[in-house]
Amino acid sequence: MVYRRNEGFRYAFGDEIKVKGTVKSEIGALHGQTWEGTILDISPQGMKVQTDLHLTSAERQQVQLELTFCLNKDTIKGYSEIRWVRNLGNQHQYGLYLHNQPAVEGLIVEELKARRRKEVLKGE
């Protein structure tokens, strides 16, 4: 499989990590729509999520997704654009790119480190 995210690591979770957010768009019907999903994997600049949020190809080009999630103990908030989609019946997997947000990237790295330390101490 070819990966387009060229980063030092990508962390896949053994358990479900919930993400929720709001659609930001100039399309009136979409703007403010809330959504929820599960983070499948994450890196400092992006993530793969699975959700029942359905957006057409044209809509995906005109939206940003506001995100809120917790990896360890701190709540992380950011915004993303959709890079790709994979349809799985009534569920959709989206590849999200977290734009130039150094504070969010740093918080993701710190939270993943703390989460991994806990997992190692528990013996996972």
Side-chain angles (χ1 to χ4, degrees):
M1 177 175 253
V2 176
Y3 294 108
R4 293 192 182 121
R5 240 188 300 160
N6 297 319
E7 295 183 272
F9 69 91
R10 182 180 312 195
Y11 189 86
F13 299 99
D15 53 346
E16 286 192 359
I17 302 295
K18 296 294 183 189
V19 60
K20 61 183 178 178
T22 308
V23 176
K24 300 295 180 190
S25 174
E26 293 183 12
I27 302 172
L30 287 176
H31 185 74
Q33 180 180 346
T34 58
W35 64 278
E36 294 184 5
T38 303
I39 298 174
L40 302 176
D41 72 34
I42 191 167
S43 65
Q45 292 183 349
M47 66 179 70
K48 180 176 18 173
V49 300
Q50 187 163 326
T51 180
D52 60 359
L53 175 67
H54 174 72
L55 298 170
T56 66
S57 179
E59 291 170 340
R60 288 192 302 270
Q61 301 298 319
Q62 300 178 33
V63 300
Q64 284 190 339
L65 299 179
E66 218 173 54
L67 309 167
T68 304
F69 57 97
C70 180
L71 299 175
N72 184 44
K73 66 176 183 173
D74 292 336
T75 300
I76 301 172
K77 295 182 180 185
Y79 58 93
S80 66
E81 65 184 43
I82 299 170
R83 288 287 174 98
W84 57 265
V85 65
R86 181 176 299 131
N87 295 316
L88 304 169
N90 63 349
Q91 291 283 303
H92 308 280
Q93 286 183 355
Y94 291 109
L96 304 181
Y97 172 66
L98 302 169
H99 313 217
N100 186 20
Q101 300 171 78
V104 173
E105 290 176 28
L107 192 51
I108 288 172
V109 170
E110 292 306 313
E111 287 290 290
L112 285 174
K113 284 180 185 177
R115 180 185 177 89
R116 187 63 191 142
R117 272 188 225 106
K118 279 185 183 177
E119 289 173 353
V120 168
L121 291 174
K122 283 185 359 184
E124 292 182 3

